[in-house]
Amino acid sequence: MAHRFTVNATIQGVSLQQFKKIAADTAMHEAVCRRIPGENLEILESKIVGNIYTLRRAYNLDVNIPDIAKKFMKDTFRLKRTDVTDLEALTSTVVLGANLPLEASCERFVTGDDQKIHIKLDWSVKVKVPLIGGILERHAEGEIRRFSDIEIEIVEDELKKNLQM
């Protein structure tokens, strides 16, 4: 059975309508990608068709291991991420693929009002390693939470930059 957890965040000072308008621009999403800690970012696809925005990217995660281990494990932590977003409903499906025995996906929901937006990420993580899968899933949760917090901070900064224009 997969390990499940939720990440919640609120961004003050951005209305739902402002968010919807800014989110309809691929440049904002790509700017967020470029700021996430990692190496060798490749944006494989970034397109809007109707109300559906698809963003596929790959990058090497900046994981918390010694540098010498990173050199030996070069591309082991290469993450492939696909976000498919309904720009009208402000819902997304996020799927992470890695060079590891990991299945991770998320349902993202954005709600809000005239003062703020609320982001809810419902994650499901499954590590297919006998005996220690549960331990690795909890570790993966910690890393996903850390990167989610970083990404939400970047999104907030990019939204506020766009509002000043």
Side-chain angles (χ1 to χ4, degrees), residues 4-9 81 83 90-94 105-111 118-124 141 144-152 155:
R4 298 184 184 283
F5 61 96
T6 300
V7 176
N8 288 293
R81 176 173 163 169
D83 297 47
L90 296 178
T91 58
S92 307
T93 300
V94 178
S105 62
C106 168
E107 294 299 319
R108 179 174 49 214
F109 307 92
V110 178
T111 56
H118 182 74
I119 302 167
K120 180 180 179 187
L121 308 170
D122 287 330
W123 281 96
S124 174
E141 175 184 346
I144 289 170
R145 284 184 183 279
R146 181 171 74 92
F147 277 99
S148 294
D149 289 346
I150 291 167
E151 185 172 0
I152 289 165
V155 166

mmCIF file of all heavy atoms in Angstrom, residues 4-9 81 83 90-94 105-111 118-124 141 144-152 155:
data_model
loop_
_atom_site.group_PDB
_atom_site.id
_atom_site.type_symbol
_atom_site.label_atom_id
_atom_site.label_comp_id
_atom_site.label_asym_id
_atom_site.label_seq_id
_atom_site.Cartn_x
_atom_site.Cartn_y
_atom_site.Cartn_z
ATOM 1 N N ARG A 4 0.655 7.897 2.005
ATOM 2 C CA ARG A 4 -0.066 9.104 1.590
ATOM 3 C C ARG A 4 0.140 10.219 2.605
ATOM 4 O O ARG A 4 0.185 9.971 3.805
ATOM 5 C CB ARG A 4 -1.559 8.806 1.452
ATOM 6 C CG ARG A 4 -1.848 7.769 0.392
ATOM 7 C CD ARG A 4 -3.347 7.549 0.212
ATOM 8 N NE ARG A 4 -3.612 6.502 -0.731
ATOM 9 C CZ ARG A 4 -3.522 6.604 -2.046
ATOM 10 N NH1 ARG A 4 -3.154 7.733 -2.583
ATOM 11 N NH2 ARG A 4 -3.788 5.584 -2.836
ATOM 12 N N PHE A 5 0.234 11.443 2.086
ATOM 13 C CA PHE A 5 0.343 12.609 2.950
ATOM 14 C C PHE A 5 -0.118 13.836 2.173
ATOM 15 O O PHE A 5 -0.232 13.814 0.953
ATOM 16 C CB PHE A 5 1.771 12.785 3.482
ATOM 17 C CG PHE A 5 2.814 12.989 2.419
ATOM 18 C CD1 PHE A 5 3.220 14.275 2.062
ATOM 19 C CD2 PHE A 5 3.397 11.907 1.770
ATOM 20 C CE1 PHE A 5 4.174 14.468 1.088
ATOM 21 C CE2 PHE A 5 4.358 12.096 0.801
ATOM 22 C CZ PHE A 5 4.749 13.380 0.452
ATOM 23 N N THR A 6 -0.376 14.911 2.902
ATOM 24 C CA THR A 6 -0.884 16.152 2.307
ATOM 25 C C THR A 6 0.006 17.315 2.704
ATOM 26 O O THR A 6 0.439 17.418 3.849
ATOM 27 C CB THR A 6 -2.333 16.413 2.769
ATOM 28 O OG1 THR A 6 -3.150 15.308 2.356
ATOM 29 C CG2 THR A 6 -2.885 17.695 2.172
ATOM 30 N N VAL A 7 0.257 18.190 1.736
ATOM 31 C CA VAL A 7 0.969 19.444 1.966
ATOM 32 C C VAL A 7 -0.031 20.565 1.701
ATOM 33 O O VAL A 7 -0.677 20.583 0.652
ATOM 34 C CB VAL A 7 2.190 19.589 1.025
ATOM 35 C CG1 VAL A 7 2.853 20.945 1.209
ATOM 36 C CG2 VAL A 7 3.187 18.456 1.255
ATOM 37 N N ASN A 8 -0.174 21.469 2.656
ATOM 38 C CA ASN A 8 -1.076 22.622 2.510
ATOM 39 C C ASN A 8 -0.265 23.905 2.605
ATOM 40 O O ASN A 8 0.667 23.993 3.405
ATOM 41 C CB ASN A 8 -2.132 22.637 3.626
ATOM 42 C CG ASN A 8 -3.165 21.557 3.441
ATOM 43 O OD1 ASN A 8 -3.935 21.592 2.503
ATOM 44 N ND2 ASN A 8 -3.174 20.583 4.350
ATOM 45 N N ALA A 9 -0.651 24.891 1.801
ATOM 46 C CA ALA A 9 0.017 26.195 1.866
ATOM 47 C C ALA A 9 -0.975 27.277 1.468
ATOM 48 O O ALA A 9 -1.875 27.037 0.661
ATOM 49 C CB ALA A 9 1.218 26.232 0.933
ATOM 50 N N ARG A 81 9.477 14.781 -14.221
ATOM 51 C CA ARG A 81 8.230 15.228 -13.609
ATOM 52 C C ARG A 81 7.277 15.708 -14.696
ATOM 53 O O ARG A 81 7.671 16.468 -15.578
ATOM 54 C CB ARG A 81 8.512 16.362 -12.621
ATOM 55 C CG ARG A 81 7.251 16.942 -12.003
ATOM 56 C CD ARG A 81 7.589 17.931 -10.927
ATOM 57 N NE ARG A 81 6.430 18.754 -10.621
ATOM 58 C CZ ARG A 81 6.337 19.560 -9.589
ATOM 59 N NH1 ARG A 81 7.334 19.648 -8.728
ATOM 60 N NH2 ARG A 81 5.266 20.288 -9.384
ATOM 61 N N ASP A 83 3.516 17.540 -15.061
ATOM 62 C CA ASP A 83 2.368 18.227 -14.461
ATOM 63 C C ASP A 83 1.346 18.446 -15.570
ATOM 64 O O ASP A 83 1.684 19.026 -16.601
ATOM 65 C CB ASP A 83 2.762 19.599 -13.920
ATOM 66 C CG ASP A 83 3.782 19.552 -12.794
ATOM 67 O OD1 ASP A 83 4.780 18.834 -12.931
ATOM 68 O OD2 ASP A 83 3.584 20.252 -11.801
ATOM 69 N N LEU A 90 -8.252 24.738 -11.997
ATOM 70 C CA LEU A 90 -7.072 24.887 -11.140
ATOM 71 C C LEU A 90 -6.775 23.608 -10.357
ATOM 72 O O LEU A 90 -6.506 23.620 -9.152
ATOM 73 C CB LEU A 90 -7.196 26.098 -10.214
ATOM 74 C CG LEU A 90 -7.262 27.449 -10.924
ATOM 75 C CD1 LEU A 90 -7.423 28.580 -9.911
ATOM 76 C CD2 LEU A 90 -6.033 27.682 -11.800
ATOM 77 N N THR A 91 -6.827 22.506 -11.076
ATOM 78 C CA THR A 91 -6.444 21.208 -10.519
ATOM 79 C C THR A 91 -5.338 20.637 -11.401
ATOM 80 O O THR A 91 -5.262 20.937 -12.588
ATOM 81 C CB THR A 91 -7.629 20.227 -10.488
ATOM 82 O OG1 THR A 91 -8.136 20.056 -11.816
ATOM 83 C CG2 THR A 91 -8.735 20.723 -9.572
ATOM 84 N N SER A 92 -4.491 19.826 -10.787
ATOM 85 C CA SER A 92 -3.372 19.237 -11.525
ATOM 86 C C SER A 92 -3.129 17.818 -11.056
ATOM 87 O O SER A 92 -3.424 17.473 -9.910
ATOM 88 C CB SER A 92 -2.074 20.015 -11.291
ATOM 89 O OG SER A 92 -2.218 21.368 -11.538
ATOM 90 N N THR A 93 -2.532 17.060 -11.959
ATOM 91 C CA THR A 93 -1.973 15.767 -11.605
ATOM 92 C C THR A 93 -0.478 15.877 -11.839
ATOM 93 O O THR A 93 -0.044 16.325 -12.899
ATOM 94 C CB THR A 93 -2.564 14.645 -12.474
ATOM 95 O OG1 THR A 93 -3.973 14.603 -12.269
ATOM 96 C CG2 THR A 93 -1.965 13.300 -12.118
ATOM 97 N N VAL A 94 0.294 15.501 -10.835
ATOM 98 C CA VAL A 94 1.749 15.542 -10.917
ATOM 99 C C VAL A 94 2.248 14.112 -10.772
ATOM 100 O O VAL A 94 1.848 13.400 -9.849
ATOM 101 C CB VAL A 94 2.346 16.420 -9.785
ATOM 102 C CG1 VAL A 94 3.868 16.416 -9.836
ATOM 103 C CG2 VAL A 94 1.791 17.832 -9.849
ATOM 104 N N SER A 105 3.045 10.345 -6.980
ATOM 105 C CA SER A 105 2.112 11.190 -7.724
ATOM 106 C C SER A 105 1.373 12.091 -6.745
ATOM 107 O O SER A 105 1.335 11.841 -5.544
ATOM 108 C CB SER A 105 1.130 10.347 -8.532
ATOM 109 O OG SER A 105 0.347 9.549 -7.678
ATOM 110 N N CYS A 106 0.790 13.129 -7.312
ATOM 111 C CA CYS A 106 0.142 14.135 -6.485
ATOM 112 C C CYS A 106 -1.070 14.678 -7.221
ATOM 113 O O CYS A 106 -1.042 14.859 -8.436
ATOM 114 C CB CYS A 106 1.147 15.259 -6.234
ATOM 115 S SG CYS A 106 0.462 16.758 -5.521
ATOM 116 N N GLU A 107 -2.105 14.942 -6.470
ATOM 117 C CA GLU A 107 -3.252 15.699 -6.971
ATOM 118 C C GLU A 107 -3.150 17.064 -6.322
ATOM 119 O O GLU A 107 -3.084 17.176 -5.104
ATOM 120 C CB GLU A 107 -4.574 15.023 -6.604
ATOM 121 C CG GLU A 107 -4.776 13.673 -7.271
ATOM 122 C CD GLU A 107 -4.798 13.739 -8.785
ATOM 123 O OE1 GLU A 107 -5.393 14.683 -9.352
ATOM 124 O OE2 GLU A 107 -4.192 12.846 -9.425
ATOM 125 N N ARG A 108 -3.088 18.115 -7.159
ATOM 126 C CA ARG A 108 -2.927 19.484 -6.664
ATOM 127 C C ARG A 108 -4.226 20.247 -6.891
ATOM 128 O O ARG A 108 -4.819 20.172 -7.965
ATOM 129 C CB ARG A 108 -1.770 20.170 -7.394
ATOM 130 C CG ARG A 108 -1.542 21.599 -6.964
ATOM 131 C CD ARG A 108 -0.285 22.199 -7.601
ATOM 132 N NE ARG A 108 -0.228 21.973 -9.022
ATOM 133 C CZ ARG A 108 0.902 21.774 -9.705
ATOM 134 N NH1 ARG A 108 2.060 21.759 -9.096
ATOM 135 N NH2 ARG A 108 0.873 21.589 -11.000
ATOM 136 N N PHE A 109 -4.649 20.980 -5.868
ATOM 137 C CA PHE A 109 -5.871 21.783 -5.925
ATOM 138 C C PHE A 109 -5.541 23.200 -5.481
ATOM 139 O O PHE A 109 -4.897 23.389 -4.455
ATOM 140 C CB PHE A 109 -6.943 21.211 -4.977
ATOM 141 C CG PHE A 109 -7.222 19.747 -5.185
ATOM 142 C CD1 PHE A 109 -6.528 18.788 -4.458
ATOM 143 C CD2 PHE A 109 -8.154 19.335 -6.125
ATOM 144 C CE1 PHE A 109 -6.768 17.440 -4.648
ATOM 145 C CE2 PHE A 109 -8.395 17.981 -6.317
ATOM 146 C CZ PHE A 109 -7.704 17.030 -5.585
ATOM 147 N N VAL A 110 -5.990 24.187 -6.259
ATOM 148 C CA VAL A 110 -5.800 25.583 -5.875
ATOM 149 C C VAL A 110 -7.181 26.209 -5.713
ATOM 150 O O VAL A 110 -8.004 26.159 -6.625
ATOM 151 C CB VAL A 110 -4.974 26.372 -6.925
ATOM 152 C CG1 VAL A 110 -4.836 27.836 -6.500
ATOM 153 C CG2 VAL A 110 -3.594 25.738 -7.117
ATOM 154 N N THR A 111 -7.413 26.747 -4.536
ATOM 155 C CA THR A 111 -8.672 27.434 -4.239
ATOM 156 C C THR A 111 -8.305 28.787 -3.647
ATOM 157 O O THR A 111 -7.131 29.064 -3.389
ATOM 158 C CB THR A 111 -9.530 26.639 -3.239
ATOM 159 O OG1 THR A 111 -8.752 26.407 -2.044
ATOM 160 C CG2 THR A 111 -9.976 25.293 -3.819
ATOM 161 N N HIS A 118 -5.082 29.114 -1.728
ATOM 162 C CA HIS A 118 -4.708 27.967 -0.902
ATOM 163 C C HIS A 118 -4.325 26.835 -1.842
ATOM 164 O O HIS A 118 -5.050 26.530 -2.794
ATOM 165 C CB HIS A 118 -5.856 27.542 0.020
ATOM 166 C CG HIS A 118 -5.482 26.403 0.900
ATOM 167 N ND1 HIS A 118 -4.641 26.546 1.984
ATOM 168 C CD2 HIS A 118 -5.798 25.095 0.829
ATOM 169 C CE1 HIS A 118 -4.472 25.363 2.551
ATOM 170 N NE2 HIS A 118 -5.162 24.468 1.856
ATOM 171 N N ILE A 119 -3.182 26.231 -1.584
ATOM 172 C CA ILE A 119 -2.680 25.124 -2.394
ATOM 173 C C ILE A 119 -2.701 23.865 -1.541
ATOM 174 O O ILE A 119 -2.189 23.855 -0.416
ATOM 175 C CB ILE A 119 -1.247 25.411 -2.880
ATOM 176 C CG1 ILE A 119 -1.218 26.704 -3.694
ATOM 177 C CG2 ILE A 119 -0.701 24.237 -3.687
ATOM 178 C CD1 ILE A 119 0.175 27.250 -3.952
ATOM 179 N N LYS A 120 -3.299 22.822 -2.091
ATOM 180 C CA LYS A 120 -3.352 21.532 -1.402
ATOM 181 C C LYS A 120 -2.734 20.483 -2.318
ATOM 182 O O LYS A 120 -3.128 20.350 -3.474
ATOM 183 C CB LYS A 120 -4.799 21.156 -1.073
ATOM 184 C CG LYS A 120 -4.930 19.832 -0.354
ATOM 185 C CD LYS A 120 -6.391 19.519 -0.045
ATOM 186 C CE LYS A 120 -6.522 18.187 0.644
ATOM 187 N NZ LYS A 120 -7.926 17.806 0.799
ATOM 188 N N LEU A 121 -1.739 19.771 -1.791
ATOM 189 C CA LEU A 121 -1.064 18.713 -2.534
ATOM 190 C C LEU A 121 -1.313 17.388 -1.829
ATOM 191 O O LEU A 121 -0.849 17.187 -0.703
ATOM 192 C CB LEU A 121 0.447 18.981 -2.586
ATOM 193 C CG LEU A 121 0.900 20.360 -3.082
ATOM 194 C CD1 LEU A 121 2.392 20.545 -2.835
ATOM 195 C CD2 LEU A 121 0.563 20.534 -4.532
ATOM 196 N N ASP A 122 -2.057 16.495 -2.462
ATOM 197 C CA ASP A 122 -2.313 15.167 -1.916
ATOM 198 C C ASP A 122 -1.361 14.182 -2.589
ATOM 199 O O ASP A 122 -1.555 13.811 -3.760
ATOM 200 C CB ASP A 122 -3.771 14.747 -2.153
ATOM 201 C CG ASP A 122 -4.745 15.488 -1.264
ATOM 202 O OD1 ASP A 122 -4.360 15.874 -0.146
ATOM 203 O OD2 ASP A 122 -5.901 15.678 -1.692
ATOM 204 N N TRP A 123 -0.330 13.754 -1.860
ATOM 205 C CA TRP A 123 0.722 12.900 -2.396
ATOM 206 C C TRP A 123 0.489 11.427 -2.089
ATOM 207 O O TRP A 123 -0.029 11.076 -1.021
ATOM 208 C CB TRP A 123 2.076 13.290 -1.808
ATOM 209 C CG TRP A 123 2.677 14.491 -2.441
ATOM 210 C CD1 TRP A 123 2.612 15.784 -1.994
ATOM 211 C CD2 TRP A 123 3.424 14.530 -3.656
ATOM 212 N NE1 TRP A 123 3.285 16.603 -2.858
ATOM 213 C CE2 TRP A 123 3.792 15.870 -3.883
ATOM 214 C CE3 TRP A 123 3.815 13.552 -4.577
ATOM 215 C CZ2 TRP A 123 4.544 16.256 -4.993
ATOM 216 C CZ3 TRP A 123 4.563 13.942 -5.672
ATOM 217 C CH2 TRP A 123 4.916 15.275 -5.876
ATOM 218 N N SER A 124 0.945 10.592 -2.995
ATOM 219 C CA SER A 124 0.983 9.149 -2.816
ATOM 220 C C SER A 124 2.377 8.691 -3.246
ATOM 221 O O SER A 124 2.817 9.003 -4.365
ATOM 222 C CB SER A 124 -0.086 8.483 -3.687
ATOM 223 O OG SER A 124 0.035 7.088 -3.631
ATOM 224 N N GLU A 141 8.922 11.223 1.711
ATOM 225 C CA GLU A 141 7.964 12.239 2.154
ATOM 226 C C GLU A 141 8.696 13.487 2.635
ATOM 227 O O GLU A 141 8.327 14.608 2.278
ATOM 228 C CB GLU A 141 7.056 11.711 3.264
ATOM 229 C CG GLU A 141 6.141 12.792 3.811
ATOM 230 C CD GLU A 141 5.266 12.357 4.986
ATOM 231 O OE1 GLU A 141 5.152 11.146 5.247
ATOM 232 O OE2 GLU A 141 4.698 13.262 5.639
ATOM 233 N N ILE A 144 10.064 15.300 -0.380
ATOM 234 C CA ILE A 144 8.978 15.898 -1.159
ATOM 235 C C ILE A 144 8.428 17.117 -0.428
ATOM 236 O O ILE A 144 8.162 18.156 -1.045
ATOM 237 C CB ILE A 144 7.870 14.867 -1.461
ATOM 238 C CG1 ILE A 144 8.382 13.851 -2.493
ATOM 239 C CG2 ILE A 144 6.596 15.550 -1.959
ATOM 240 C CD1 ILE A 144 7.476 12.648 -2.707
ATOM 241 N N ARG A 145 8.253 17.020 0.875
ATOM 242 C CA ARG A 145 7.790 18.181 1.651
ATOM 243 C C ARG A 145 8.785 19.342 1.541
ATOM 244 O O ARG A 145 8.396 20.495 1.360
ATOM 245 C CB ARG A 145 7.585 17.812 3.124
ATOM 246 C CG ARG A 145 6.323 17.029 3.387
ATOM 247 C CD ARG A 145 6.143 16.785 4.886
ATOM 248 N NE ARG A 145 4.980 15.975 5.159
ATOM 249 C CZ ARG A 145 3.736 16.443 5.195
ATOM 250 N NH1 ARG A 145 3.497 17.720 4.977
ATOM 251 N NH2 ARG A 145 2.731 15.633 5.448
ATOM 252 N N ARG A 146 10.077 19.024 1.630
ATOM 253 C CA ARG A 146 11.114 20.067 1.546
ATOM 254 C C ARG A 146 11.064 20.750 0.178
ATOM 255 O O ARG A 146 11.037 21.983 0.094
ATOM 256 C CB ARG A 146 12.495 19.442 1.785
ATOM 257 C CG ARG A 146 13.638 20.442 1.742
ATOM 258 C CD ARG A 146 14.953 19.800 2.199
ATOM 259 N NE ARG A 146 15.527 18.907 1.223
ATOM 260 C CZ ARG A 146 16.425 19.277 0.306
ATOM 261 N NH1 ARG A 146 16.838 20.525 0.249
ATOM 262 N NH2 ARG A 146 16.921 18.395 -0.535
ATOM 263 N N PHE A 147 11.021 19.954 -0.885
ATOM 264 C CA PHE A 147 10.973 20.538 -2.225
ATOM 265 C C PHE A 147 9.644 21.244 -2.485
ATOM 266 O O PHE A 147 9.600 22.249 -3.195
ATOM 267 C CB PHE A 147 11.263 19.486 -3.305
ATOM 268 C CG PHE A 147 12.737 19.259 -3.505
ATOM 269 C CD1 PHE A 147 13.368 18.189 -2.904
ATOM 270 C CD2 PHE A 147 13.493 20.133 -4.272
ATOM 271 C CE1 PHE A 147 14.727 17.980 -3.078
ATOM 272 C CE2 PHE A 147 14.859 19.935 -4.449
ATOM 273 C CZ PHE A 147 15.480 18.858 -3.846
ATOM 274 N N SER A 148 8.541 20.744 -1.920
ATOM 275 C CA SER A 148 7.247 21.420 -2.066
ATOM 276 C C SER A 148 7.285 22.792 -1.422
ATOM 277 O O SER A 148 6.806 23.778 -1.999
ATOM 278 C CB SER A 148 6.118 20.587 -1.451
ATOM 279 O OG SER A 148 5.926 19.391 -2.172
ATOM 280 N N ASP A 149 7.874 22.880 -0.222
ATOM 281 C CA ASP A 149 7.997 24.173 0.458
ATOM 282 C C ASP A 149 8.832 25.148 -0.371
ATOM 283 O O ASP A 149 8.472 26.315 -0.521
ATOM 284 C CB ASP A 149 8.621 24.007 1.846
ATOM 285 C CG ASP A 149 7.689 23.336 2.844
ATOM 286 O OD1 ASP A 149 6.476 23.236 2.574
ATOM 287 O OD2 ASP A 149 8.192 22.894 3.909
ATOM 288 N N ILE A 150 9.934 24.655 -0.918
ATOM 289 C CA ILE A 150 10.795 25.503 -1.752
ATOM 290 C C ILE A 150 10.018 25.962 -2.984
ATOM 291 O O ILE A 150 10.032 27.152 -3.335
ATOM 292 C CB ILE A 150 12.076 24.748 -2.163
ATOM 293 C CG1 ILE A 150 12.984 24.528 -0.944
ATOM 294 C CG2 ILE A 150 12.819 25.484 -3.282
ATOM 295 C CD1 ILE A 150 14.119 23.537 -1.180
ATOM 296 N N GLU A 151 9.336 25.039 -3.635
ATOM 297 C CA GLU A 151 8.592 25.383 -4.850
ATOM 298 C C GLU A 151 7.477 26.390 -4.560
ATOM 299 O O GLU A 151 7.273 27.338 -5.319
ATOM 300 C CB GLU A 151 8.014 24.129 -5.493
ATOM 301 C CG GLU A 151 7.334 24.397 -6.811
ATOM 302 C CD GLU A 151 6.927 23.149 -7.565
ATOM 303 O OE1 GLU A 151 7.165 22.013 -7.079
ATOM 304 O OE2 GLU A 151 6.363 23.301 -8.653
ATOM 305 N N ILE A 152 6.782 26.224 -3.455
ATOM 306 C CA ILE A 152 5.696 27.154 -3.106
ATOM 307 C C ILE A 152 6.261 28.547 -2.820
ATOM 308 O O ILE A 152 5.681 29.549 -3.232
ATOM 309 C CB ILE A 152 4.860 26.595 -1.941
ATOM 310 C CG1 ILE A 152 4.033 25.399 -2.439
ATOM 311 C CG2 ILE A 152 3.943 27.676 -1.344
ATOM 312 C CD1 ILE A 152 3.434 24.530 -1.359
ATOM 313 N N VAL A 155 6.976 29.976 -6.197
ATOM 314 C CA VAL A 155 5.710 30.350 -6.848
ATOM 315 C C VAL A 155 5.219 31.681 -6.276
ATOM 316 O O VAL A 155 4.823 32.582 -7.022
ATOM 317 C CB VAL A 155 4.642 29.247 -6.679
ATOM 318 C CG1 VAL A 155 3.251 29.754 -7.044
ATOM 319 C CG2 VAL A 155 4.993 28.032 -7.527
#
